[in-house]
Amino acid sequence: MAFRRLLVPLTGTAAGEAAIATALMTARIWGAHVHCLHVRVDARDVAPLAGEGLSGAMIEEMMAATERESGERANRVKALFDRMAGALGDVTLADSAEVANKTDGVTLSFESIAGREEDVVAQQSRLYDLAVVPHPEADEDVSSSDALHAVLFDSGRPVLIAPRRAPASIGTRICCAWNGTAESAAAMAAALPWLHQSNACRVLYADEYQRRGPKVEGIMSYLHWHGVDAGSQMFKPANRDVGAGLLGAVADYNADLLCMGAYSHSRIRQLILGGVTRHVLEKSEIPVLMCR
């Protein structure tokens, strides 16, 4: 198995450039196609949200303002894409028809469409092997988090969260977080192509991280059957924070990719109380492959 089609949702955040760079770095490993997608806000969606008590003229003005802002953001995103694409010597720009007939090498395309971002991104991601999403904290723009959670919860595909800055490498030394859950099992299966091409990999586990499910010995046997020569190591929470302990173990291994399940607890609980997923999303400085 290899990753052949990558989707990059672009929202105009500061980390968009790092996301494109991370996707291209990934595409070069497998000779894949990268499709950058920008979803513009449809001004018609604003009208139902305007509420009662507003005149037709006020609603029209609100829709016009939304259209202007959406257009300005779309122009910024396209300018970012054009600037990066213009600096690439080993990537071929292609439209969807050309991509359908591609054979070798990395290709890149761009599309901007109107709609509800969460719906469009989740639905389109189902047609790709992997979605590469900008860092959710970039520029304090919640739309990037919306795209991330749409892929995680509604696409059925793995998502690669790019770091704030483009990484120097990806997938050469890999850490996989294991806690026995269905989410971590899905992440481990999605990581197999990465694990087979890596130079070294390690499974990280902890008593405080373990949930109901198979222990680390079980997943090590699974990897053995798939021909993956991985080591395992227990980590300890840092100041009672499991997420901090996990990232500390990842840093000690000098990993350039972390693979893990997302939201073993409910998303609402993690938003209120914190959690490993939330900590990793906010603090990781390397790409993170997540599955839900």
Side-chain angles (χ1 to χ4, degrees):
M1 177 184 173
F3 296 107
R4 300 294 291 164
R5 301 186 76 205
L6 312 180
L7 181 69
V8 184
L10 294 175
T11 60
T13 66
E17 184 171 345
I20 297 175
T22 301
L24 289 171
M25 189 175 294
T26 301
R28 289 185 179 101
I29 298 173
W30 285 283
H33 173 66
V34 177
H35 184 59
C36 296
L37 174 66
H38 174 65
V39 183
R40 305 187 309 274
V41 176
D42 191 336
R44 292 172 296 183
D45 292 334
V46 175
L49 302 176
E52 299 179 0
L54 294 180
S55 67
M58 295 176 67
I59 293 177
E60 288 183 6
E61 183 179 348
M62 183 178 299
M63 292 177 64
T66 300
E67 189 70 29
R68 287 194 301 273
E69 181 180 347
S70 177
E72 291 171 357
R73 174 177 290 188
N75 290 336
R76 290 197 301 270
V77 172
K78 186 58 165 63
L80 167 65
F81 175 85
D82 289 341
R83 176 169 56 82
M84 292 198 67
L88 298 171
D90 62 335
V91 176
T92 302
L93 292 180
D95 61 27
S96 56
E98 292 171 332
V99 171
N101 298 318
K102 78 176 288 293
T103 54
D104 299 309
V106 177
T107 53
L108 179 68
S109 59
F110 178 86
E111 183 180 15
S112 180
I113 59 179
R116 293 178 59 87
E117 184 190 29
E118 308 94 284
D119 295 338
V120 173
V121 170
Q123 292 168 13
Q124 289 300 308
S125 294
R126 297 166 192 164
L127 303 176
Y128 292 80
D129 299 308
L130 182 70
V132 183
V133 179
H135 193 279
E137 296 300 313
D139 207 27
E140 299 182 354
D141 189 329
V142 296
S143 59
S144 55
S145 291
D146 289 342
L148 166 59
H149 292 117
V151 177
L152 275 175
F153 284 86
D154 297 321
S155 74
R157 299 297 195 191
V159 55
L160 182 67
I161 299 98
R164 291 180 178 87
R165 290 176 292 277
S169 63
I170 184 170
T172 62
R173 294 179 62 84
I174 302 175
C175 282
C176 298
W178 177 256
N179 64 358
T181 61
E183 293 83 4
S184 61
M188 197 69 73
L192 283 175
W194 290 100
L195 297 174
H196 282 296
Q197 62 85 41
S198 68
N199 297 328
C201 50
R202 174 178 289 176
V203 176
L204 301 174
Y205 66 100
D207 291 339
E208 297 84 355
Y209 186 46
Q210 180 71 25
R211 305 287 181 259
R212 291 183 60 185
K215 305 294 186 182
V216 68
E217 293 80 9
I219 199 60
M220 297 305 295
S221 177
Y222 171 86
L223 292 177
H224 173 76
W225 277 101
H226 279 276
V228 176
D229 183 18
S232 63
Q233 180 177 318
M234 176 183 286
F235 69 91
K236 290 294 184 182
N239 298 321
R240 300 185 180 181
D241 190 321
V242 176
L246 173 61
L247 289 184
V250 170
D252 290 343
Y253 192 62
N254 196 30
D256 56 9
L257 179 65
L258 169 62
C259 305
M260 62 181 293
Y263 297 112
S264 297
H265 290 305
S266 73
R267 180 184 171 192
I268 297 299
R269 176 176 174 180
Q270 294 221 27
L271 288 173
I272 296 173
L273 301 177
V276 178
T277 303
R278 180 179 178 183
H279 184 96
V280 170
L281 286 174
E282 292 178 351
K283 304 296 184 181
S284 179
E285 296 180 357
I286 64 172
V288 181
L289 180 71
M290 282 190 174
C291 285
R292 177 67 170 82

